[in-house]
Amino acid sequence: MIKSLPAADFKLPSQINGRHFRNLSPCGVLSFPSRRGKETDIPANTDDIRASVSKDIAALQQEVSRLQKMISAQGAEAYYEVRGRAGKVYDEALPRAKNAVAQIRAEGAAAAGAAREHPAATTTALALAGAIGFLAGYLLAGSPQPQHRHWWR
């Protein structure tokens, strides 16, 4: 059975490594309130920002790697499950197919034996089947065909 991913394993990028970036804008600039109460974008120390972003990228890469491993494991599990089911179906169908083939062979042998024992009846049955087929073909060929009207006429 395929397992679902637990929701607790997913972290927002703002929560990685136990740090919360409430004041981090999308472009990586810290926002501080100004004297008038409005937020002003003031770049923080460049080295600190680079280090922080590098740590975040590394954490995201580890998370992606872990998720890839989980998906790979689930795919392999699903493959083996389907393979096992197909094997069971094949194992169940094989004896039935062998039995059906044996019955068809037995019926064919019985029909061939009856044809050998009664050649006149066999000839009559085959001639009658041929005559019925010829008559059906003759009647179908002689019936008037509906005229096809073309769209341009």
Side-chain angles (χ1 to χ4, degrees), residues 14-153:
S14 63
Q15 298 173 350
I16 294 175
N17 293 334
R19 298 177 8 206
H20 294 279
F21 298 103
R22 287 186 210 130
N23 294 333
L24 191 62
S25 69
C27 59
V29 177
L30 292 173
S31 299
F32 296 101
S34 68
R35 293 182 206 171
R36 295 181 186 165
K38 298 180 183 177
E39 289 189 359
T40 310
D41 292 338
I42 301 172
N45 186 356
T46 308
D47 293 333
D48 292 341
I49 293 173
R50 283 186 185 153
S52 173
V53 169
S54 295
K55 286 179 185 178
D56 291 342
I57 289 173
L60 287 173
Q61 287 173 341
Q62 289 176 352
E63 190 74 15
V64 167
S65 174
R66 187 181 67 78
L67 290 172
Q68 286 176 339
K69 288 177 185 176
M70 287 175 60
I71 290 171
S72 174
Q74 288 179 354
E77 183 180 338
Y79 166 76
Y80 288 118
E81 182 179 336
V82 169
R83 183 178 176 194
R85 287 182 187 174
K88 287 178 185 177
V89 168
Y90 177 78
D91 291 341
E92 291 174 1
L94 185 62
R96 293 179 186 166
K98 286 183 179 181
N99 187 20
V101 168
Q103 287 180 352
I104 290 171
R105 284 184 183 165
E107 291 294 323
R116 277 190 221 108
E117 289 179 14
H118 307 288
T122 303
T123 303
T124 304
L126 289 175
L128 183 61
I132 291 173
F134 177 76
L135 183 63
Y138 180 76
L139 291 174
L140 288 175
S143 66
Q145 296 292 325
Q147 292 183 354
H148 295 290
R149 298 200 61 155
H150 299 288
W151 62 271
W152 61 83
R153 288 189 187 175

